[in-house]
């Protein structure tokens, strides 16, 4: 079995709590709070006003630029206000507040369970539908998908890499999606191949999902140009550059994008959303998320409409377990501790993890012993101990010189550090600062 070559770790996957739990649809909220910045890039611009009536699937905010995404209502009702809301980390963000009345959908959405296999659209028509539907990468980055499917001049896609790895511990929503909607995902893959003008796709799935591997291999045998690769367990194999290395043995250079080696990478949940958008005219207004933890009463995979308070999803899972020390948005490696769960679900919401008190305490920070474990573990070939110290000392130009922008914030360095140093915290802060400096520098040149 293949895997990527540089760095990586083997944390316990802890999938058993929510694995193979069927997807359960979460009920409607009384009020939906729909953020306008659910993606990388410019926030969407509202096109509705207070008092307007909206339906499920209706466009309520348009993309604010090329690197942006449309936002649609996941509920029907009346717009109460357009105001700021607070996210799980205390930051303010603009949102549309909708008082829910019934469940009326826009007429063009095909709500049947019929699987639509044929797609004769031209590539531009496919990409236009994807853009119209507001689809973004659901593997974590939330980069607008229509942008990714339009390679820059002089570069051409050769292969589609489909990310079914789900290497983040605890999370199982992608696994369950492959089991329940594998056929639709396979059709979505063919649609993306058609949009890119390519005839090859590789689906990467880690070997701890043997049933998903078997299901997708069965479907791939009937689909021209699609193959499934069972991969060794290794975190962070779901990273774009790591997955490309594991699946097709090509290495993306520092600062380069996957398209530089002819690859486009999409998560299985994104592919499923593409199927629904192109074949069912359904915009992206809901997603499957995992609610899990060792003490959660009903861990599972829940289909949640954007704008639904996370507290409502948690109630479905049996409530906040007694003795919870931290609630993580996402998984334990790349997720972040949340201040509250009153915030709404949105396109970035892949999961909620409840860590017991004894597992949520950090070790006491000690001096670096120069063991080099963080260097060996880094999948990007960086020197986390050095970048961390440079960030602490605000040595921004030195961080830039040492390629801090290549960091994918996977947490391998912090996980392996025997001195319990907050390496990722410092590197993440430094990366954000250096990124701001680079953007300001680029703007000054225009």
């Amino acid at each position: 079995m293949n895997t990527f070559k540089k760095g990586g770790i083997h944390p316990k996957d802890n999938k058993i709590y929510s694995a193979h739990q069927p997807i359960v649809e979460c009920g409607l909220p009384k009020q939906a709070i729909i953020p306008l910045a659910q993606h990388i890039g410019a926030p969407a611009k509202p096109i509705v006003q207070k008092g307007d009536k909206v339906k499920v699937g209706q466009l309520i905010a348009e993309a604010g630029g090329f690197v942006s995404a449309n936002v649609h209502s996941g509920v029907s009702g009346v717009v109460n206000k357009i105001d700021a809301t607070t996210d799980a980390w205390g930051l303010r963000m603009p949102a549309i507040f909708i008082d829910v009345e019934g469940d009326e959908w826009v007429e063009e959405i095909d709500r049947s369970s019929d699987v639509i296999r044929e797609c004769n659209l031209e590539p531009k028509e496919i990409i236009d539908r994807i853009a119209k539907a507001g689809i973004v990468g659901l593997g974590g980055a939330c980069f607008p998908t229509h942008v990714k499917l339009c390679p820059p001049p002089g570069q051409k896609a050769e292969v589609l890499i489909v990310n079914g790895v789900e290497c983040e511990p605890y999370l199982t929503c992608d696994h369950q999606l492959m089991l329940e909607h594998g056929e639709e995902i396979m059709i979505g893959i063919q649609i993306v191949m058609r949009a890119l003008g390519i005839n090859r796709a590789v689906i990467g799935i880690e070997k701890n999902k043997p049933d998903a591997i078997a299901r997708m291999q069965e479907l791939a045998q009937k689909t021209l140009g699609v193959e499934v690769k069972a991969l060794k367990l290794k975190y962070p194999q779901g990273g774009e550059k790591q997955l490309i290395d594991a699946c097709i043995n090509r290495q993306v250079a520092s600062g380069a994008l996957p398209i530089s080696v002819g690859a486009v990478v999409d998560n299985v949940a994104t592919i499923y959303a593409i199927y629904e958008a192109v074949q069912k005219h359904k915009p992206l207004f809901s997603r499957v998320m995992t609610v899990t933890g060792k003490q959660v009463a009903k861990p599972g995979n829940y289909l949640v409409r954007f704008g639904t308070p996370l507290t409502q999803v948690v109630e479905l899972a049996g409530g906040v377990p007694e003795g919870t020390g931290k609630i993580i948005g996402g998984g334990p490696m790349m997720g972040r501790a949340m201040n509250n769960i009153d915030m709404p679900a949105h396109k970035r919401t892949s999961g909620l993890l409840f860590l017991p008190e004894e597992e949520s305490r950090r070790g006491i920070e000690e001096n670096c012993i120069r063991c080099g474990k963080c260097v060996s573990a880094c999948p990007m070939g960086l020197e986390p101990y050095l970048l961390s110290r440079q960030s602490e000392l605000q040595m921004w130009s030195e961080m830039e010189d040492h390629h801090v922008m290549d960091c994918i914030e996977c947490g391998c360095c912090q996980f392996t550090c025997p001195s319990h140093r907050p390496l990722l915290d410092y590197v993440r802060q430094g990366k954000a600062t250096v990124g701001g400096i680079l953007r300001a520098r680029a703007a000054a040149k225009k």
Side-chain angles (χ1 to χ4, degrees):
M1 289 186 181
N2 292 4
T3 188
F4 59 97
K5 299 172 186 63
K6 188 184 294 181
I9 58 174
H10 297 84
K12 188 174 181 182
D13 65 19
N14 286 309
K15 305 281 191 181
I16 60 173
Y17 305 101
S18 57
H20 305 109
Q21 292 297 321
I23 297 170
V24 174
E25 188 167 352
C26 182
L28 296 174
K30 292 181 180 178
Q31 185 183 67
I33 303 173
I34 303 177
L36 299 180
Q38 303 182 41
H39 49 265
I40 285 178
K45 298 178 180 178
I47 59 170
V48 293
Q49 301 176 17
K50 180 179 179 178
D52 287 353
K53 289 192 173 184
V54 298
K55 297 180 181 180
V56 177
Q58 181 177 326
L59 180 68
I60 57 175
E62 292 180 332
F66 180 61
V67 182
S68 185
N70 288 340
V71 173
H72 300 78
S73 176
V75 297
S76 62
V78 178
V79 176
N80 179 289
K81 61 181 177 178
I82 300 173
D83 201 353
T85 187
T86 304
D87 70 12
W89 301 279
L91 299 175
R92 302 286 283 173
M93 57 182 179
I96 297 174
F97 294 68
I98 301 173
D99 294 329
V100 178
E101 297 178 358
D103 191 28
E104 187 178 358
W105 292 44
V106 295
E107 290 74 13
E108 67 175 344
I109 298 175
D110 180 357
R111 299 180 63 186
S112 74
S113 59
D114 298 338
V115 176
I116 310 299
R117 295 175 177 81
E118 293 297 320
C119 176
N120 297 313
L121 298 176
E122 293 298 317
K124 185 180 183 306
E125 293 176 297
I126 293 171
I127 294 171
D128 286 346
R129 284 198 187 183
I130 290 169
K132 180 182 176 183
I135 295 175
V136 299
L138 298 178
C142 287
F143 188 82
T145 301
H146 67 279
V147 179
K148 184 180 285 191
L149 299 183
C150 297
Q155 295 184 317
K156 187 181 186 308
E158 298 172 14
V159 56
L160 171 66
I161 307 292
V162 181
N163 185 356
V165 168
E166 198 166 46
C167 61
E168 183 79 42
Y170 285 97
L171 301 186
T172 58
C173 47
D174 287 352
H175 182 183
Q176 195 61 31
L177 198 62
M178 286 187 282
L179 294 180
E180 295 191 27
H181 296 287
E183 189 170 3
E184 294 95 320
I185 291 170
M186 194 61 68
I187 296 167
I189 290 170
Q190 293 173 279
I191 290 171
V192 176
M193 291 168 66
R194 184 179 180 88
L196 292 170
I198 59 176
N199 56 16
R200 185 187 178 200
V202 180
I203 308 171
I205 308 174
E206 287 193 329
K207 68 176 183 179
N208 61 348
K209 306 171 190 65
D211 48 0
I213 291 171
R215 174 59 177 153
M216 299 311 289
Q217 282 180 336
E218 175 191 355
L219 293 166
Q221 288 173 359
K222 308 170 189 174
T223 310
L224 189 65
V226 181
E227 61 179 303
V228 176
K229 284 208 171 179
L231 305 173
K232 292 179 183 178
L233 292 182
K234 196 177 180 185
Y235 176 88
Q237 198 148 229
E240 283 191 331
K241 294 184 179 181
Q242 288 69 39
L243 189 58
I244 291 168
D245 187 7
C247 287
I248 61 172
N249 194 28
R250 296 182 189 178
Q251 291 74 44
V252 182
S254 172
L257 297 173
I259 193 65
S260 66
V261 296
V264 170
V265 183
D266 275 321
N267 177 267
V268 289
T270 309
I271 295 288
Y272 179 63
I274 289 171
Y275 163 82
E276 291 198 304
V278 175
Q279 303 294 79
K280 297 281 190 172
H281 302 281
K282 181 184 175 185
L284 181 60
F285 58 74
S286 63
R287 70 165 295 162
V288 181
M289 61 175 289
T290 300
V291 182
T292 185
K294 294 178 180 178
Q295 297 172 335
V296 173
K298 299 176 184 176
N301 304 296
Y302 298 93
L303 178 62
V304 183
R305 297 196 199 179
F306 304 144
T308 302
L310 291 178
T311 48
Q312 186 172 326
V313 189
V314 172
E315 287 174 12
L316 273 180
V320 178
E322 187 176 346
T324 295
K326 278 185 182 178
I327 303 173
I328 307 293
M333 296 302 297
M334 295 190 75
R336 301 191 185 188
M338 303 173 70
N339 293 334
N340 67 77
I341 53 172
D342 294 329
M343 68 169 291
H346 50 76
K347 295 177 185 180
R348 296 178 185 267
T349 312
S350 59
L352 284 178
L353 168 61
F354 294 85
L355 285 180
E357 179 66 37
E358 60 272 17
E359 293 185 18
S360 60
R361 299 191 201 100
R362 290 195 175 198
I364 298 172
E365 182 182 346
E366 299 175 1
N367 291 332
C368 175
I369 61 173
R370 301 294 190 268
C371 64
K373 286 187 176 180
C374 63
V375 178
S376 298
C378 180
M380 298 304 297
L382 304 177
E383 298 175 286
Y385 74 92
L386 178 61
L387 291 169
S388 171
R389 185 61 176 156
Q390 289 172 338
S391 177
E392 197 174 357
L393 297 174
Q394 301 185 3
M395 300 168 66
W396 312 130
S397 61
E398 289 82 358
M399 292 191 78
E400 180 184 350
D401 292 341
H402 286 91
H403 306 288
V404 69
M405 298 310 295
D406 283 349
C407 174
I408 60 173
E409 303 181 28
C410 64
C412 288
C413 54
Q414 197 157 304
F415 181 87
T416 59
C417 180
S419 296
H420 309 293
R421 297 185 64 76
L423 300 173
L424 175 60
D425 296 352
Y426 277 120
V427 174
R428 186 178 268 159
Q429 289 174 3
K431 180 184 172 184
T433 302
V434 172
I437 292 170
L438 293 176
R439 287 190 293 273
R441 186 187 302 163
K445 290 180 180 178
K446 291 182 179 179

